[in-house]
Amino acid sequence: QALELALARNPDLASFSWEVRSGDPRILQAGLIPNPELVVGLENFLGSGPFRKFEALETTLSIGQLLELGGKRAARIKLAAAEKEVVRWDYEAKRADLAATVAKSFVEVLSAQEKVALATEIARLSKEVLDAVSARVTAGKISPVEETKASVASSISGIELERAKLALEGARKRLAATWGPAKPMFSKAVGRLDQVPPIPPAEDLADRISRNPDVARWAAEMEQRKAVLAQDRAERIPNVTINAGIRRFRELEDTTFIAGATIPIPIFNRNQGKILESQYRISKAEREREAAGNKVLAALSDAYQALATGYVESTTLKSVVLPGARSAFDAAT
């Protein structure tokens, strides 16, 4: 329930989801063609000689349209789609981080609840010991110093109980903060810490690394950088601007049609620098993907060692230490 609340209401995750949604408008924008241009021209007027008035005025009205060549529009669409995929994987990583935070916070609440229960029991036992020692002191069987010691121990147990309660309240607030409210609205966390399931083989966990969002995102990152390279290569091909319109000669009372085209000549700038930069960035991404895999593998190794150590400790405590402690406690009681 805590995980569902966090995934549905966590503010950071909710804001990140809007970044994922913004990928569709970017794809839409990338696929739009350039707007046409309206050109209005006036010539041969207000001169100093024969053209000093408007009798020889020439008026030109034309519409121009930029034609993108070399697959630029398709390259933009592919790049926008690749960028959306990268953001989606970053969102999955954010979800995984949040799930880990919720799990850790939930266990901390369970642990704090158990510590409060134990501290309460210790405080009760300390009071019983104090009462028993006081009775023996009254009967003259032991020294009054023992009563002082028992009183100090009882007071310390009371302090520890208050500390445990404050720690529990802090743990509850940290868990509730994963889904928003500053004040926890739940009464308690339900779970058992004494259940120790067997740990999976390390090889099975290593096989799952490819599904880790921090690793899986690099496949999308590589596609995104390749899309950038494709776009830069498409920019080598010059675009063509065509225009067509009419021209009005006032002096001759005649109207003619005009047409033209503008074609840049790629002699000096063929986008060489951007293409080389994109190639370098692809090589860099390959190294970064390798480094990300190694980093996750190292983190998995450390986590698995901690898990294995914790498993040995918990099973030993459960099967050997706690039964012995219970026996000694019963005998002392």
Side-chain angles (χ1 to χ4, degrees), residues 119 122-123 126 152-165:
I122 291 173
S126 298
V152 171
S154 180
S155 298
I156 292 176
S157 65
I159 294 174
E160 293 299 325
L161 175 58
E162 292 303 315
R163 287 180 176 174
K165 290 180 179 179

Side-chain angles (χ1 to χ4, degrees), residues 236-274:
R236 295 179 304 176
I237 309 300
N239 297 324
V240 176
T241 301
I242 61 173
N243 58 77
I246 59 175
R247 175 171 293 174
R248 174 68 176 174
F249 295 90
R250 184 173 181 179
E251 184 179 17
L252 301 177
E253 294 294 330
D254 191 13
T255 301
T256 62
F257 291 96
I258 62 170
T262 303
I263 305 175
I265 303 176
I267 297 177
F268 306 109
N269 181 3
R270 297 186 301 277
N271 215 30
Q272 305 97 311
K274 293 289 293 183

Side-chain angles (χ1 to χ4, degrees), residues 195-208:
Q195 294 179 339
V196 186
I199 62 176
E203 295 77 12
D204 292 351
L205 297 180
D207 291 340
R208 302 179 189 177

Side-chain angles (χ1 to χ4, degrees), residues 33-112:
I33 62 176
N35 291 322
E37 297 179 348
L38 178 64
V39 181
V40 178
L42 301 177
E43 300 179 22
N44 302 333
F45 67 97
L46 298 180
S48 59
F51 300 145
R52 63 180 179 274
K53 295 183 179 181
F54 292 90
E55 286 78 4
L57 177 66
E58 295 181 13
T59 304
T60 304
L61 179 65
S62 63
I63 294 179
Q65 176 65 52
L66 178 68
L67 301 180
E68 295 183 299
L69 304 180
K72 296 183 181 67
R73 180 167 170 266
R76 285 199 309 269
I77 295 175
K78 185 176 181 180
L79 175 58
E83 289 174 342
K84 178 186 175 181
E85 186 67 9
V86 172
V87 173
R88 187 185 71 81
W89 277 112
D90 289 339
Y91 176 73
E92 292 300 324
K94 190 78 172 178
R95 280 172 54 93
D97 291 340
L98 178 60
T101 300
V102 172
K104 181 179 179 181
S105 299
F106 188 85
V107 171
E108 288 177 350
V109 172
L110 286 180
S111 176

Side-chain angles (χ1 to χ4, degrees), residues 133-178:
V133 170
S134 297
R136 290 172 64 83
V137 169
T138 302
K141 293 184 178 181
I142 58 175
S143 169
V145 175
E146 299 300 323
E147 183 178 10
T148 302
K149 293 180 179 180
S151 177
V152 171
S154 180
S155 298
I156 292 176
S157 65
I159 294 174
E160 293 299 325
L161 175 58
E162 292 303 315
R163 287 180 176 174
K165 290 180 179 179
L166 291 174
L168 172 59
E169 186 62 22
R172 284 164 49 83
K173 289 181 178 179
R174 286 192 295 274
L175 176 59
T178 59

